[in-house]
Amino acid sequence: MTTPTSSTPADTSTAPDRNLALELVRVTEAAAIAGARWVGAGDKNTADGAAVDAMRSFMDTVRMNGTVVIGEGEKDEAPMLFNGESVGDGSGPDVDVAVDPIDGTRLTALGYNNALSVFAVAEKGSMYDPSAVFYMEKMVVGPDAADFVDLRLPVKQNIALVAKALGKPVSQVTVCVLERARHEPLVQEIREAGARVKFIMDGDVAGAIAAARGAGVDMLLGTGGTPEGIIAACAVKATGGMLQGRLAPIDDAERQKALDAGHDLERVLTTDDLVTSDNCYFAATGITDGDLLRGVRYAGERIVTESIVMRSASGTVRLVEAEHRAEKWDRWTSA
């Protein structure tokens, strides 16, 4: 047995280690608890602001030297968690960080299902840079169908391939789709193929993970946020599922910006293209109840959260239920 020395890989490795996973979930718990104060209040901006503030504060306790590459971003004009911001306590590994304090701000404001707080980390330089192309076509399936489908194939054919891989009739295949006017032709194709549609209002990170884990849906299809796709890819890697995406610029200016950055707009991006590292982490905490997680609950002097934590290197998925003393969270839960 070799005794570790100052020159061994055990001491010199800059890759994130397994202990990081549970540090991340503390951050998403904080953001979820802060955001949950505003569930059903009709004010998505205040809810998001509370979650951002809590996430940023707790993130500084995480042992990492992180750079936000997917943050509140250009669309939100955020003062915190913006792209390029340094986060963490600076003592740990160099990592890319992708965050969404509330994936589903409208869901939170209206009290609807499937709002999450999410946080993903991967080795530095491994997360895809979409060059401000905010939307992409996406397809997500679980591990049983991962090797059979292709975004370039017709919708009907992909659904048939999923049905065959899962050993079920097409009529029992359920496809998760964001409820948007742009998806009306897609929905028609899915129904004409004989499959079922399950709509989600917002929050396609939750939809992507549900599809990858077979949690109530068998696949996700449609156009959604590129940042959310990259965050979801970190989770999908741990499940053995598959996410494919293709950039979808919303106008000529965005298209030209993508071309100038060297993007091939016909290219189908795989999970490994979106996150090249095989050592990435994903954590999410439910804000409102959903297919993936239960939302924040209040039980007397306790606040109860449910979270999921994933690590791709080991393929480990953990469900974490935690109880928090309400009095310790007054800063985040008081009006």
Side-chain angles (χ1 to χ4, degrees), residues 155-304:
V155 169
K156 183 177 181 179
Q157 187 174 349
N158 275 321
I159 289 172
L161 290 168
V162 169
K164 183 176 181 180
L166 298 180
K168 61 168 67 175
V170 168
S171 61
Q172 292 180 13
V173 172
T174 302
V175 183
C176 181
V177 180
L178 272 171
E179 189 175 9
R180 299 288 187 273
R182 64 177 178 265
H183 287 151
E184 289 176 5
L186 171 62
V187 169
Q188 184 176 345
E189 285 188 80
I190 294 168
R191 289 174 173 161
E192 287 177 352
R196 306 172 180 182
V197 175
K198 181 171 184 178
F199 286 113
I200 52 174
M201 283 185 57
D202 291 299
D204 72 347
V205 171
I209 299 168
R213 300 191 73 215
V217 297
D218 301 303
M219 63 190 306
L220 175 139
L221 288 173
T223 301
T226 304
E228 289 81 0
I230 297 167
I231 292 171
C234 292
V236 171
K237 276 204 162 194
T239 69
M242 182 281 305
L243 187 155
Q244 291 183 3
R246 184 162 47 197
L247 295 178
I250 60 173
D251 54 31
D252 290 341
E254 194 171 281
R255 173 178 290 273
Q256 190 58 52
K257 188 172 184 178
L259 293 173
D260 291 344
H263 290 300
D264 178 357
L265 298 179
E266 298 303 315
R267 180 186 176 192
V268 173
L269 301 161
T270 66
T271 314
D272 288 335
D273 291 322
L274 295 173
V275 186
T276 59
S277 171
D278 287 325
N279 191 19
C280 57
Y281 297 80
F282 173 87
T285 301
I287 297 173
T288 59
D289 288 343
D291 295 327
L292 189 65
L293 295 166
R294 295 185 68 181
V296 175
R297 287 160 282 153
Y298 304 91
E301 295 303 311
R302 295 175 297 126
I303 300 172
V304 183

Side-chain angles (χ1 to χ4, degrees), residues 39 55 89 108 112 121 132 147 151 165 226 239 241 260-261 272 282 302 321:
V39 167
M55 178 171 273
D89 70 0
T108 301
Y112 289 151
V121 167
D147 294 331
L151 190 60
T226 304
T239 69
D260 291 344
D272 288 335
F282 173 87
R302 295 175 297 126
E321 183 173 275

